[in-house]
Amino acid sequence: AVVSTQSTGQDLMVIAKDKERGVISQLTELLSLNNCDLEFTEDALASIAELAFCKKTGARALKSIVENTLLETMFEVPGSDITHARITSDTVLDGASPIYTRAEQ
């Protein structure tokens, strides 16, 4: 998708959620290799889009924000019993840990 730096927050939210090329779908696929479902709440997506909009760098900011938001998750999931990671606006804005669901023992 071609995006100018004049993209609105709503445009960026659509780009972030793009099923084929969006950074979120790429990272969701990566975590699925470790049997972990990745979920972003609507508030989290809105927060990511707003932060990217404020940086005025368009879709490039989306990638950076999503990757930074998922740093902890990308280290925690591989080799663990985590089956679901839920990303909230607190995770995006305040660096709170994602909400993890673990496999039942």
Side-chain angles (χ1 to χ4, degrees):
V2 176
V3 180
S4 74
T5 56
Q6 302 302 314
S7 298
T8 67
Q10 191 66 29
D11 291 337
L12 292 169
M13 201 162 152
V14 169
I15 293 165
K17 292 164 64 172
D18 184 303
K19 296 284 187 219
E20 292 182 20
R21 297 177 304 235
V23 67
I24 290 173
S25 64
Q26 292 170 6
L27 293 169
T28 298
E29 182 68 27
L30 184 62
L31 285 175
S32 75
L33 297 174
N34 291 289
N35 300 313
C36 180
D37 294 322
L38 179 62
E39 173 194 359
F40 283 80
T41 64
E42 286 298 313
D43 285 349
L45 292 171
S47 295
I48 290 167
E50 183 64 26
L51 287 171
F53 179 73
C54 289
K55 288 187 177 203
K56 298 186 187 315
T57 56
R60 271 174 284 190
L62 282 174
K63 185 174 184 340
S64 172
I65 292 163
V66 171
E67 288 175 345
N68 286 333
T69 298
L70 291 176
L71 275 177
E72 175 186 325
T73 305
M74 298 305 284
F75 283 104
E76 291 292 327
V77 169
S80 75
D81 62 348
I82 297 171
T83 59
H84 187 263
R86 186 169 195 237
I87 309 301
T88 66
S89 61
D90 288 338
T91 310
V92 175
L93 299 174
D94 302 325
S97 288
I99 300 166
Y100 295 123
T101 303
R102 297 183 180 274
E104 294 183 23
Q105 299 295 321

